[in-house]
Amino acid sequence: MADRRPAYPGGASWSVEDIPYESLARDRVAADEQLLYIIASASFVEITSDLYTRNLIEYYSRDDELTEWLAHSWEPEEVQHGTALRRYVETAWPEFDWEGAYRNFFAEYSQLCRTEQLAPTRALEM
């Protein structure tokens, strides 16, 4: 039988819209502060994959196949993970200021996420 799943950006087989956030058992997770911080942190890193991807594309600039995959498959999928996790955080902990916390994260992370900070060899970075 042919795969009838819709084609999403980056070749993903899912979309954030596929996730039934309204079914979240908020009462089971809302009091778990450690879970909030873990998921929020993961959302920050994943949603900022575009910055890391730009570094990788520069680092691997002589490998057209890899840079094409990074830009058109890997990055959209990773950013989508971040979007899904953000929406989870905003659903489970609506009082958490995701935007403000992300702004603070990005201000520091963007200073560290630089091509010159990648591993000294292409193999090690992979």
Side-chain angles (χ1 to χ4, degrees):
M1 178 184 257
D3 186 354
R4 296 178 194 265
R5 291 178 293 180
Y8 295 108
S13 60
W14 66 283
S15 166
V16 173
E17 301 310 315
D18 296 336
I19 301 171
Y21 292 98
E22 69 283 352
S23 299
L24 176 68
R26 218 180 145 264
D27 58 314
R28 295 178 69 190
V29 299
D32 193 337
E33 189 172 87
Q34 184 175 10
L35 183 62
L36 162 64
Y37 290 126
I38 289 169
I39 296 174
S41 297
S43 73
F44 298 163
V45 171
E46 293 284 307
I47 213 161
T48 310
S49 293
D50 57 337
L51 179 59
Y52 179 51
T53 303
R54 283 194 299 273
N55 293 336
L56 291 174
I57 288 171
E58 180 182 330
Y59 194 63
Y60 293 101
S61 62
R62 286 177 263 133
D63 187 332
D64 293 341
E65 183 178 2
L66 177 57
T67 58
E68 180 75 16
W69 176 80
L70 284 166
H72 301 289
S73 294
W74 189 75
E75 178 186 330
E77 180 78 12
E78 297 308 302
V79 171
Q80 181 170 269
H81 295 159
T83 301
L85 290 167
R86 175 185 179 170
R87 193 134 158 222
Y88 184 96
V89 168
E90 292 174 334
T91 301
W93 300 278
E95 66 283 352
F96 179 74
D97 179 14
W98 189 95
E99 191 65 45
Y102 177 73
R103 231 183 348 268
N104 292 334
F105 163 82
F106 187 81
E108 290 188 40
Y109 182 75
S110 64
Q111 298 305 307
L112 301 171
C113 187
R114 306 235 182 246
T115 304
E116 55 271 8
Q117 296 297 322
L118 298 178
T121 68
R122 293 164 44 107
L124 285 174
E125 186 58 37
M126 285 299 224

